[in-house]
Amino acid sequence: MKQYYIIRNDQQAGPYTLEELAAMEITPDTMVWSEGMTDWTPAHQVNELTSLFTRSAQTPPSYNAPNYGAPAAPQYHSEPHYNSRPPQYNTPAEQPPMPPTYLAWSIAVTILCCLVGGIVAIVYSSQVSSRYIAGDYEGADYASRQARIWIIVSACVGFAVAIVYAIWMIFFSTSLAAFSGGYNI
């Protein structure tokens, strides 16, 4: 069995077997000498010793610590498309752009046209950014489309009510003028 001498703390030590050197965990730069060698050589240049360093050079697999007490991941259902698991985007460049919220339009329609439809539009408008930030990009797009639909419906209802009111006012004012034209007060 071949034996090796090493230089440790500037002192010659040994002889050691290959197994003893492995247990000592020598470095690749440790100077070694064995019978048949002409001079002291770094251990990584000796063919018989290279197996000591390839094993120690391997990096252990990464360890992910468990998250005790962390909230459980949400469960997604396969019913409507907006409840499905959103695709995972690794970088912000891969994320789709945030859809428009239409919040200002929703507020304007609520004040000027139709209270009920405008409130529904405001609710959907407020869901757009929160869903987008949560990573539910399809849900954010769905809320944006619903807000736009409710804005259009509310504006149309408000416009129709305004036309009916204008017609009623014209009719009422002409009939009132005709009715009061015969009597002087």
Side-chain angles (χ1 to χ4, degrees):
M1 180 175 283
K2 195 167 189 178
Q3 296 188 336
Y4 299 90
Y5 292 89
I6 63 170
I7 301 291
R8 176 176 267 177
N9 298 327
D10 294 327
Q11 298 287 326
Q12 178 179 328
Y16 300 108
T17 63
L18 187 61
E19 291 81 20
E20 291 172 326
L21 289 177
M24 295 171 68
E25 297 181 1
I26 63 170
T27 66
D29 295 325
T30 301
M31 299 300 285
V32 296
W33 180 86
S34 179
E35 189 177 325
M37 296 174 65
T38 57
D39 201 4
W40 290 90
T41 308
H44 71 276
Q45 292 181 0
V46 179
N47 288 339
E48 297 89 16
L49 301 179
T50 56
S51 64
L52 298 176
F53 309 117
T54 56
R55 224 178 316 135
S56 64
Q58 292 179 352
T59 57
S62 63
Y63 173 73
N64 294 329
N67 278 338
Y68 297 112
Q75 299 296 319
Y76 293 95
H77 305 286
S78 62
E79 295 162 1
H81 75 283
Y82 53 87
N83 276 344
S84 63
R85 180 175 290 267
Q88 299 299 316
Y89 296 97
N90 297 328
T91 63
E94 294 176 354
Q95 295 176 348
M98 187 167 109
T101 61
Y102 300 112
L103 187 59
W105 285 104
S106 300
I107 294 171
V109 162
T110 303
I111 294 171
L112 301 174
C113 298
C114 180
L115 184 67
V116 175
I119 290 174
V120 174
I122 288 174
V123 169
Y124 278 116
S125 295
S126 65
Q127 291 177 355
V128 173
S129 59
S130 61
R131 287 183 176 187
Y132 182 83
I133 290 169
D136 184 8
Y137 305 115
E138 290 179 14
D141 186 51
Y142 174 78
S144 177
R145 284 184 278 122
Q146 290 299 315
R148 185 180 63 217
I149 289 169
W150 279 100
I151 289 168
I152 293 169
V153 167
S154 298
C156 291
V157 167
F159 186 67
V161 167
I163 290 175
V164 169
Y165 181 73
I167 292 171
W168 182 74
M169 287 301 290
I170 291 171
F171 176 75
F172 182 72
S173 65
T174 54
S175 61
L176 184 63
F179 180 71
S180 66
Y183 300 99
N184 282 337
I185 300 179

